[in-house]
Amino acid sequence: MRPHVELIQENDYVWHGAELVGGEGRASERRLSVDEEDGSCSLRVDFHTRWGRGPGVHHANTEFYVLDGAMTYDGREYGKGGYLYVPKGVPAEALVFAEGTKVLHYREYGDAGFDAGADRRDGSREEVIALDTEAMTWDAVPNAGPMPGLFIKYLHVDPETGFYTRLVHAQEGWTDHRLAHHPCYEEAYTTQGHMEYNFGTLDLGTYFFRPARVKHGHFTTQEGGATWLLRSDGELLNWYTQNEWIRWGGEAANYADRMRWSQSSHDLGAGSPPRSERDVAELTASVEFQLSQGESDDPYVPHGRGTDKSLIAIAKALDAASLQGGHGHDHSHDDHSHDHSGGHSHDEGGAARVHWDGEPRALEHPDERTDGHAHNRGRGRAWKPGSPVPAPIPSTLPVRSRSTGRWDGDGM
């Protein structure tokens, strides 16, 4: 599986010799994200000389997007914004990159292998796509989040899997105050602009790879808006959370006099730089827009400010236990003499079983723990309306930039 990356500035990656099989020329690559199991990867490639390769067949679904320079495919030249998609097993025509060209290069479900002059493979599907994205118009995103201002250019959509690649632009002031998780992975490279959110700063050259179901959010778009090349391995559905919190803790076994400790995301937010006045104003405006549309919502309060919501949740759980019966009699767990393995039942004596609302195992796909990818919680699964909405995955310590990334613990 690929690691969770939030956020890395490409300048924090080292250069390697580019793995471009069967071509002539010299190029280097920065490995933004790599799946060691099947060879899938997302790369930033710079061509130091003219580079070219003849017709043939790729071992992986292959994409190129020109950030700067020129790409020539099948005799036609594409400048900045040129996009090429070649499905694995489908013959590609001759490809040339001019000296100095900078591209994003993706390989999915396969490695860098390339068979020169090969014919179409059995079982291959889809066709080659070559686009001048600079000539395409922006369309409003059907579901832009809590407020309008998000636009899209569709580059490739797999009709069977829903895998899709697109350019997305958020205009200045577009804001999302809620956290979201998706049934698919999501990755993006920032091609223009500046956005702030809970895992860091999105500016030119920043990249993230977020496995399926990882919670993220609290976006605020700065001057000039922001643009990304964004990819997902399935349809991107937003499952939103508000008033979010996480609490974790434990009993120390061999340190600090075997202390018991507990911490919440509220504690981390309190120890980090506060959001700017502009950020708070924009996040508040996002709430107000939702309310103006007749949607239910709560005021935006940055983590570390106001009441710790995890403590409120604990208090509500204790109240629920008391109202629903609990043990049915009062005794101290510090002086608990009976044996829980000896037939004692918390349901005996007429006491009701405590109901804690959501059952975590119900918030999973039916095959979540039995299919061939059960070992990879972050892999996307197909989801249809009416199916259980899978529980989010908290990811508090993803791979992040050492030099230019910023993380404030807000909204984990």
Side-chain angles (χ1 to χ4, degrees):
M1 63 179 290
R2 300 205 209 187
H4 180 195
V5 177
E6 295 262 17
L7 297 157
I8 278 188
Q9 165 59 235
E10 70 161 303
N11 293 331
D12 278 350
Y13 284 99
V14 300
W15 288 104
H16 305 268
E19 189 177 11
L20 296 168
V21 176
E24 293 185 1
R26 188 164 60 86
S28 298
E29 66 185 25
R30 282 171 164 159
R31 296 167 187 168
L32 305 177
S33 175
V34 176
D35 187 326
E36 299 289 352
E37 293 180 85
D38 69 3
S40 300
C41 58
S42 303
L43 310 168
R44 256 281 292 116
V45 180
D46 280 10
F47 293 93
H48 309 302
T49 66
R50 180 185 182 277
W51 183 92
R53 180 165 63 191
V57 169
H58 295 273
H59 292 189
N61 290 348
T62 301
E63 296 173 273
F64 294 96
Y65 177 81
V66 179
L67 297 169
D68 190 31
M71 169 183 71
T72 301
Y73 177 75
D74 195 19
R76 179 180 173 182
E77 183 175 294
Y78 299 84
K80 180 180 178 182
Y83 171 77
L84 177 66
Y85 170 71
V86 183
K88 64 179 178 179
V90 173
E93 300 299 331
L95 177 65
V96 175
F97 290 98
E99 179 180 348
T101 298
K102 304 176 188 299
V103 305
L104 295 172
H105 175 37
Y106 303 96
R107 297 192 293 265
E108 204 70 42
Y109 310 130
D111 57 27
F114 181 84
D115 300 323
D119 296 327
R120 189 179 186 110
R121 304 298 193 201
D122 291 341
S124 61
R125 57 186 183 82
E126 297 191 280
E127 300 299 331
V128 174
I129 298 171
L131 300 171
D132 176 6
T133 68
E134 294 285 287
M136 297 170 64
T137 58
W138 289 103
D139 296 318
V141 173
N143 300 303
M147 64 193 306
L150 206 60
F151 302 90
I152 193 167
K153 294 180 181 181
Y154 291 97
L155 308 186
H156 162 247
V157 181
D158 187 317
E160 289 192 15
T161 67
F163 194 114
Y164 70 122
T165 302
R166 65 273 195 201
L167 289 166
V168 175
H169 176 75
Q171 68 182 20
E172 180 178 334
W174 183 85
T175 302
D176 194 338
H177 63 283
R178 300 172 296 186
L179 295 193
H181 67 291
H182 316 296
C184 55
Y185 82 55
E186 185 179 28
E187 72 168 336
Y189 179 95
T190 308
T191 63
Q192 174 271 326
H194 178 195
M195 174 180 276
E196 297 288 343
Y197 91 119
N198 64 322
F199 276 122
T201 298
L202 285 158
D203 55 12
L204 181 63
T206 53
Y207 169 84
F208 67 75
F209 183 97
R210 187 183 306 120
R213 298 165 50 190
V214 170
K215 271 292 179 191
H216 60 283
H218 296 331
F219 297 96
T220 58
T221 311
Q222 310 300 307
E223 291 85 353
T227 308
W228 313 273
L229 187 121
L230 202 151
R231 303 169 76 244
S232 296
D233 67 341
E235 183 180 358
L236 190 96
L237 299 164
N238 291 308
W239 295 311
Y240 288 116
T241 303
Q242 63 183 19
N243 291 327
E244 58 282 338
W245 52 268
I246 290 178
R247 176 168 287 276
W248 62 98
E251 297 178 357
N254 62 349
Y255 62 94
D257 295 325
R258 300 184 67 176
M259 61 180 284
R260 175 176 292 179
W261 58 271
S262 180
Q263 187 174 32
S264 75
S265 52
H266 185 275
D267 301 324
L268 292 185
S272 61
R275 283 192 176 269
S276 67
E277 290 184 7
R278 171 175 174 166
D279 269 7
V280 174
E282 290 186 353
L283 289 162
T284 300
S286 180
V287 175
E288 292 172 349
F289 181 86
Q290 280 291 97
L291 294 174
S292 74
Q293 302 301 301
E295 301 289 340
S296 62
D297 221 326
D298 289 333
Y300 172 75
V301 179
H303 272 56
R305 284 83 183 164
T307 306
D308 185 340
K309 298 181 180 67
S310 66
L311 297 179
I312 295 176
I314 291 170
K316 287 182 177 179
L318 291 172
D319 285 345
S322 176
L323 291 171
Q324 293 178 45
H327 281 288
H329 59 279
D330 186 22
H331 62 269
S332 169
H333 278 264
D334 291 331
D335 184 23
H336 203 124
S337 58
H338 64 263
D339 183 1
H340 271 265
S341 64
H344 174 80
S345 171
H346 284 215
D347 288 331
E348 292 177 355
R353 179 182 293 276
V354 177
H355 178 59
W356 302 98
D357 294 327
E359 165 55 46
R361 293 182 189 275
L363 300 177
E364 303 285 352
H365 295 281
D367 63 350
E368 181 76 15
R369 302 184 187 279
T370 59
D371 67 13
H373 301 283
H375 66 286
N376 183 354
R377 294 192 69 206
R379 182 182 175 88
R381 263 96 169 173
W383 186 86
K384 296 180 180 179
S387 298
V389 174
I393 300 173
S395 184
T396 57
L397 291 175
V399 177
R400 289 192 295 272
S401 244
R402 288 183 292 248
S403 63
T404 56
R406 179 186 62 78
W407 180 65
D408 64 9
D410 187 6
M412 290 166 33

